[in-house]
């Protein structure tokens, strides 16, 4: 919302005053609008509707902004009690951003991305991550991962690019039957029109300081584009705009020059992508892994 206001050349106090003129029943001040823009205060739908009028947004942009404000006032699915203890706070922040992303581009060097994991594969990954045999915790983690996939692919971003290092297809996280099922699932997912799945051959692998990273882009008026890097038990966010952290990024680590960091990681992701195999070759690599796990 702040970027839309600034593009219109409006100050906070002028935008707030015009919104009140359009809809006299609302209460909106300079400080309140500032807090809404930095996600430190909820954005009532009626306030967003008035601001959309002030900013001269067209029908589609206005509807998107109003819908976003409406969702912001509802509890997120990942805050449900059944997922307590299995979705860390730093990843909840990411899930909220992924939901509204226009483009998702990611790379994983050691494991199949969570968005593409089967239930059997996810069980192995979650059990190893938490170093636990607590079946209830593992199963709730699998349910959360499955729900994330269902929601994203029911209304997918305009573009989802998922780069996977060939090594991830060779490292078993379960018995051969589980790995074979995972390979078959990758072949099916590669046929989705809005998913671009590519394998980075081992000989084309770029040495990186991280095992995985994700670049998110958003529609105009949405959050600043950012790069998300997840570690073993923490994550860092590197947004294009290194201003005040919002509710989504508050409590996560940011670099001193977050915007410069973002560009550095975007370039790294582009370099990794340049080494990725084309679609046909990527499918062949997955099929070879499938044959290996099936003992053929």
């Amino acid at each position: 919302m702040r970027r839309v206001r600034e593009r219109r050349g409006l100050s906070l106090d002028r935008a707030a005053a015009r919104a009140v003129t359009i809809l006299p029943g609302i209460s909106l001040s300079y400080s309140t609008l500032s807090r809404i823009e930095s996600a430190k205060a909820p954005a009532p739908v009626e306030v967003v509707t008035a601001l959309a009028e002030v900013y001269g947004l067209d029908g589609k942009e206005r509807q998107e902004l109003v819908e976003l404000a409406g969702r912001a006032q509802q509890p997120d699915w990942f805050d449900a009690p059944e997922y307590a203890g299995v979705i860390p706070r730093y990843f909840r922040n990411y899930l909220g951003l992924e939901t509204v992303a226009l483009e998702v581009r990611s790379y994983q060097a050691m494991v199949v991305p969570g968005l593409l994991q089967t239930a059997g594969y996810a069980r192995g990954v979650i059990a190893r991550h938490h170093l636990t045999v607590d079946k209830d915790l593992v199963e709730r983690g699998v349910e959360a991962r499955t729900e994330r996939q269902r929601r994203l692919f029911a209304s997918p971003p305009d573009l989802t690019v998922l780069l996977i290092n060939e090594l991830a297809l060779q490292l078993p996280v379960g018995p051969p039957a589980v790995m074979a099922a995972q390979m078959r699932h990758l072949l099916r997912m590669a046929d989705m029109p809005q998913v671009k799945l590519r394998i980075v051959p081992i000989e084309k692998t770029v040495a990186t300081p991280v095992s995985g990273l994700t670049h998110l882009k958003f529609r105009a008026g949405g959050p600043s584009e950012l790069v998300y890097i997840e570690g073993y038990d923490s994550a860092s966010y590197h947004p294009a705009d290194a201003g005040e952290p919002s509710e989504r990024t508050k409590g996560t680590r940011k670099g001193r020059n977050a915007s410069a960091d973002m560009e550095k990681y975007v370039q790294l992701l582009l370099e990794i992508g340049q080494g990725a195999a084309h679609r046909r070759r990527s499918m062949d690599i997955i099929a070879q892994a499938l044959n290996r796990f099936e003992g053929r």
Side-chain angles (χ1 to χ4, degrees):
M1 290 179 67
R2 175 174 55 79
R3 290 204 301 274
V4 175
R5 173 179 58 78
E6 290 177 343
R7 283 204 302 268
R8 298 300 188 271
L10 294 171
S11 63
L12 280 165
D13 54 354
R14 182 169 296 182
R18 290 190 182 181
V20 172
T21 300
I22 290 173
L23 197 62
I26 66 173
S27 175
L28 185 63
S29 65
Y30 170 100
S31 59
T32 301
L33 181 54
S34 176
R35 288 174 58 78
I36 288 174
E37 289 185 348
S38 60
K40 295 179 179 179
V45 172
E46 61 272 19
V47 170
V48 175
T49 301
L51 288 170
E53 181 73 21
V54 170
Y55 301 152
L57 300 181
D58 62 29
K60 182 181 179 181
E61 291 175 322
R62 183 176 306 186
Q63 185 63 28
E64 288 175 349
L65 200 59
V66 170
E67 288 178 358
L68 183 61
R71 289 198 300 268
Q73 297 184 67
Q74 300 172 3
D76 289 309
W77 69 266
F78 43 80
D79 288 325
E82 57 264 36
Y83 301 135
V86 298
I87 304 178
R89 168 150 186 200
Y90 62 79
F91 193 56
R92 291 171 188 245
N93 295 335
Y94 172 82
L95 289 175
L97 291 163
E98 180 184 74
T99 301
V100 297
L102 180 68
E103 293 183 11
V104 176
R105 298 173 184 268
S106 78
Y107 169 68
Q108 286 293 334
M110 306 295 288
V111 296
V112 170
L115 283 173
L116 299 177
Q117 291 177 8
T118 61
Y121 186 96
R123 286 188 186 94
V125 172
I126 294 168
R128 293 185 181 190
H129 179 86
H130 289 281
L131 301 177
T132 183
V133 292
D134 184 335
K135 290 185 178 180
D136 175 68
L137 184 147
V138 171
E139 286 307 311
R140 287 189 295 116
V142 172
E143 290 172 9
R145 201 156 296 197
T146 302
E147 181 64 10
R148 173 196 175 196
Q149 295 170 358
R150 185 189 71 78
R151 287 175 175 269
L152 186 79
F153 292 122
S155 181
D158 287 0
L159 178 64
T160 302
V161 179
L162 301 171
L163 305 174
I164 309 173
N165 194 284
E166 184 181 1
L167 180 63
L169 309 184
Q170 300 180 2
L171 297 175
V173 297
V178 167
M179 296 301 296
Q182 177 64 71
M183 297 307 112
R184 286 192 290 270
H185 183 63
L186 290 179
L187 291 172
R188 288 192 297 270
M189 293 300 292
D191 286 332
M192 290 189 64
Q194 288 159 304
V195 174
K196 186 176 180 180
L197 170 58
R198 297 291 184 269
I199 305 301
V200 180
I202 291 177
E203 64 272 16
K204 296 289 186 178
T205 298
V206 175
T208 67
V210 295
S211 62
L213 67 162
T214 302
H215 180 206
L216 299 181
K217 287 186 176 182
F218 306 90
R219 289 179 173 80
S224 298
E225 69 175 292
L226 60 85
V227 168
Y228 169 81
I229 299 175
E230 185 173 344
Y232 181 75
D233 58 0
S234 63
S236 59
Y237 291 73
H238 305 270
D241 180 356
E244 283 190 274
S246 69
E247 288 298 323
R248 290 295 186 196
T249 57
K250 190 165 61 177
T252 60
R253 295 187 293 111
K254 284 176 149 187
R256 289 185 178 179
N257 192 336
S259 189
D261 282 350
M262 190 206 75
E263 290 300 328
K264 175 179 67 178
Y265 288 119
V266 167
Q267 290 303 314
L268 175 60
L269 197 54
L270 288 173
E271 184 179 355
I272 293 169
Q274 288 172 355
H278 55 71
R279 184 182 186 281
R280 176 66 66 181
R281 175 59 181 148
S282 292
M283 299 305 97
D284 287 345
I285 294 172
I286 297 172
Q288 290 167 10
L290 172 59
N291 291 338
R292 187 166 57 252
F293 288 117
E294 288 183 333
R296 287 190 272 167

